[in-house]
Amino acid sequence: QAVVTQEPSLTVSPGGTVTLTCGSSTGAVTSGHYPYWFQQKPGQAPRTLIYDTSNKQSWTPARFSGSLLGGKAALTLSGAQPEDEAEYYCLLSYSGARVFGGGTKLTVL
Amino acid sequence: EVQLVQSGAEVKKPGESLKISCKGSGYRFTDYWIGWVRQMPGKGLEWMGIIYPGDSDTRYSPSFQGQVTISADKSISTAYLQWSSLKASDTAMYYCARSASGWANWGQGTLVTVSS
């Protein structure tokens, strides 16, 4: 089974910009991996922010965007807010099999 | 309104069996895949498998193949996750999710505690 890698932790200043990445042990991440990004806050169920690389849910703040960057999937947060402090997980699809990354704990400080 | 409502928390002993549920409402249950996700205490999300209630087509992640059984009863719009013999390492929160619109809808989670 493929291994999906994320930064364990990142810190961003309020109002700042940060990029979270999602890599694959099998090589470059492409749109064919249908990258997803989920946000999870303590005690809550995960919720989808981004699907199929760059599509947003209706509740996804405009400051979040998804892309492919340097062979990885990327989630960019521009103008971080205190409420963005959370765990972020990417999910990649491998011919139907799905694998989560280990998650990135994002601190807004 | 689309909802996935999961069954309540469970406390079980090792070796016992268990079946937890995820009831869908507000949409045609047979038209969308239901996925199950595990989150062990203080750990990340793990994809367990999915089922298509329309024809019960089921796919398991390799780590969970043979460890759990995913099923669905379309007559009552409910998906299930079951264990025949629980282990302490099955202690976790389990979530179901619906495949529509980028897995937009999630259940509230079911906490399973396995302890002697």
Side-chain angles (χ1 to χ4, degrees), chain B residues 79-91:
Chain B
Y80 300 98
L81 178 65
Q82 69 180 91
W83 297 259
S84 58
S85 180
L86 286 160
K87 303 184 282 287
S89 57
D90 293 316
T91 294

Side-chain angles (χ1 to χ4, degrees), chain A residues 1 36 38 40 48 57 89 100, chain B residues 39 44-45 62 101-103 106:
Chain A
Q1 181 169 290
Y36 279 68
F38 297 88
Q40 188 180 34
T48 315
Q57 298 288 4
Y89 295 92
F100 278 107
Chain B
Q39 187 166 39
L45 304 176
S101 302
W103 298 96
W106 288 67

Side-chain angles (χ1 to χ4, degrees), chain B residues 7-12 18-20 39 41 81 83 86-94 109-115:
Chain B
S7 48
E10 301 274 2
V11 179
K12 292 289 196 179
L18 176 65
K19 194 173 189 178
I20 63 175
Q39 187 166 39
L81 178 65
W83 297 259
L86 286 160
K87 303 184 282 287
S89 57
D90 293 316
T91 294
M93 181 72 83
Y94 293 88
T110 296
L111 181 63
V112 174
T113 303
V114 183
S115 174

Side-chain angles (χ1 to χ4, degrees), chain A residues 37-107:
Chain A
W37 290 94
F38 297 88
Q39 179 191 64
Q40 188 180 34
K41 295 182 178 179
Q44 296 183 15
R47 65 170 189 168
T48 315
L49 290 180
I50 300 287
Y51 64 98
D52 294 351
T53 306
S54 59
N55 294 298
K56 297 183 184 182
Q57 298 288 4
S58 59
W59 53 79
T60 304
R63 59 185 180 273
F64 287 95
S65 63
S67 65
L68 295 175
L69 197 62
K72 296 183 178 183
L75 176 70
T76 299
L77 170 59
S78 303
Q81 300 296 310
E83 60 265 31
D84 300 328
E85 186 161 296
E87 194 84 24
Y88 292 83
Y89 295 92
C90 70
L91 177 72
L92 299 181
S93 179
Y94 297 86
S95 300
R98 294 167 175 83
V99 182
F100 278 107
T104 296
K105 182 173 174 55
L106 182 66
T107 301

